[in-house]
Amino acid sequence: MPVLLDSGPDEGLAWHYGNPVTEARSLVAGNGVVDLHNREIVEISGPDRLSWLHSLTTQHLSALTPGDSTTALILSPTGHIEHVLHGVDDGTSFLAWTEPSRADALVDFLLRMRFAMRVEVARRTDLTLAWTGHRVDLDPAWRSRRSEVGGSEVFLPAGESLEANVGTWAFDAQRIAAGVPRIFVDTDFKTIPNEIGLMGTHLDKGCYRGQETVARVHTLGRPPRRLVQLHLDGSLSSLPEVGDPIEFGGRVVGFVGSSARHHELGPVALGLVKRNVPVDAEVLAGGIAAAQEALVDPDVGLHVRPVLG
């Protein structure tokens, strides 16, 4: 029987099935299955869907071909991340998942932006999501997309089931080790794409809301904060919580996102820290000593590209 999470953004999902190390090795081998039924699914259909999404999001979508996976962000006018779509198009509709409790606001925003475009937007509560590694024995009617952490994510009917054998402990550990941030867990309301390595952002496309901020920071360099991987003190049994402060020199310089115990690296986490924190400095993450591994250069930009320390 799985041990379920009783709090946090993934409350109700399986934390582990009894042996997180074995589960982690299943992930690496590509034959694990992770139940992600708390992700919320949105479908955009209609002949104008890709050109319309192209104009609204940070990603180049107008030429997206059937079966190609993509991640796109919707920004505020000042460049802060407001929505995320992890999607795939099949030539008829664009199917995407977003984070828990985010789909209704996303659908509402998209509906308000339709104007005269030939598009339809709907929640798909009849579908659920699972990470399926590299399995090939899946129903061909189920749509799948390439996952940012490797393997595939599959949209399947809510009444169907796959025998999940890996929990979020091992899955999050793999994602953190790969340096892949989870929007709204490893980011906050102030986050701009440059701070997380321009994830979901295509720089060579036309105007979209918030583009001025992204382009300016990319051109001049030096985003205000940067994503880091934190290697935590392994002698402690605890892990920091989402939102815990990151401290350096006696002051708060950022916050912790997700954390987990990796089967090889030990306890790891992702965090956002101010760009002026030295890349080799030891910090406190929720009171736990941690070494940084830089994922985003503090001076990154079009003209300033130092090598990460």
Side-chain angles (χ1 to χ4, degrees):
M1 291 292 292
V3 175
L4 303 182
L5 287 163
D6 59 8
S7 62
D10 290 332
E11 181 179 354
L13 293 188
W15 185 31
H16 64 82
Y17 290 81
N19 192 330
V21 173
T22 299
E23 294 169 35
R25 290 174 178 154
S26 293
L27 283 180
V28 173
N31 54 26
V33 174
V34 184
D35 174 17
L36 299 173
H37 71 262
N38 68 333
R39 277 35 168 195
E40 298 183 340
I41 298 170
V42 173
E43 185 172 33
I44 300 100
S45 57
D48 295 333
R49 68 192 181 284
L50 292 180
S51 59
W52 179 64
L53 288 170
H54 179 92
S55 69
L56 291 176
T57 74
T58 59
Q59 193 54 270
H60 197 299
L61 296 176
S62 59
L64 192 69
T65 58
D68 281 350
S69 305
T70 191
T71 291
L73 306 174
I74 294 175
L75 308 182
S76 72
T78 52
H80 301 125
I81 299 171
E82 290 190 338
H83 301 288
V84 62
L85 300 97
H86 303 275
V88 61
D89 197 85
D90 70 347
T92 302
S93 72
F94 184 80
L95 199 61
W97 67 267
T98 192
E99 289 289 340
S101 304
R102 297 282 177 170
D104 286 343
L106 172 59
V107 168
D108 180 66
F109 172 81
L110 291 174
L111 289 174
R112 287 187 284 109
M113 299 301 292
R114 278 191 306 175
F115 303 113
M117 304 299 287
R118 297 172 297 168
V119 294
E120 297 295 332
V121 182
R123 280 282 306 272
R124 290 296 304 269
T125 56
D126 59 323
L127 297 177
T128 189
L129 189 77
W131 186 91
T132 57
H134 302 293
R135 288 181 54 168
V136 295
D137 59 338
L138 302 174
D139 189 325
W142 297 345
R143 203 181 311 185
S144 65
R145 69 180 298 274
R146 186 176 63 256
S147 171
E148 284 83 1
V149 296
S152 296
E153 295 160 351
V154 176
F155 301 89
L156 63 154
E160 302 284 345
S161 64
L162 289 170
E163 187 175 350
N165 59 1
V166 175
T168 59
W169 177 331
F171 185 68
D172 273 341
Q174 176 168 296
R175 177 181 60 79
I176 293 166
V180 177
R182 185 173 166 187
I183 305 299
F184 310 126
V185 176
D186 301 306
T187 67
D188 62 6
F189 70 96
K190 298 187 296 183
T191 304
I192 62 174
N194 313 70
E195 296 175 330
I196 59 171
L198 292 171
M199 174 188 174
T201 304
H202 196 295
L203 293 168
D204 300 322
K205 58 164 287 187
C207 292
Y208 55 87
R209 194 168 74 154
Q211 183 190 31
E212 294 82 359
T213 298
V214 173
R216 182 173 64 253
V217 174
H218 176 65
T219 300
L220 299 177
R222 303 186 174 185
R225 300 179 300 177
R226 56 188 173 85
L227 184 70
V228 296
Q229 186 181 97
L230 299 169
H231 295 265
L232 303 158
D233 181 354
S235 67
L236 302 178
S237 60
S238 59
L239 291 171
E241 300 286 341
V242 174
D244 274 355
I246 297 175
E247 299 172 87
F248 172 67
R251 60 191 179 91
V252 175
V253 294
F255 69 92
V256 181
S258 43
S259 61
R261 294 187 181 277
H262 191 272
H263 68 294
E264 292 179 341
L265 299 177
V268 290
L270 292 177
L272 273 176
V273 300
K274 294 180 178 179
R275 64 161 301 279
N276 59 3
V277 176
V279 295
D280 58 352
E282 185 176 277
V283 297
L284 290 175
I288 300 171
Q292 301 177 75
E293 182 172 336
L295 299 174
V296 174
D297 193 312
D299 293 320
V300 68
L302 187 60
H303 303 300
V304 182
R305 296 186 184 278
V307 177
L308 290 173

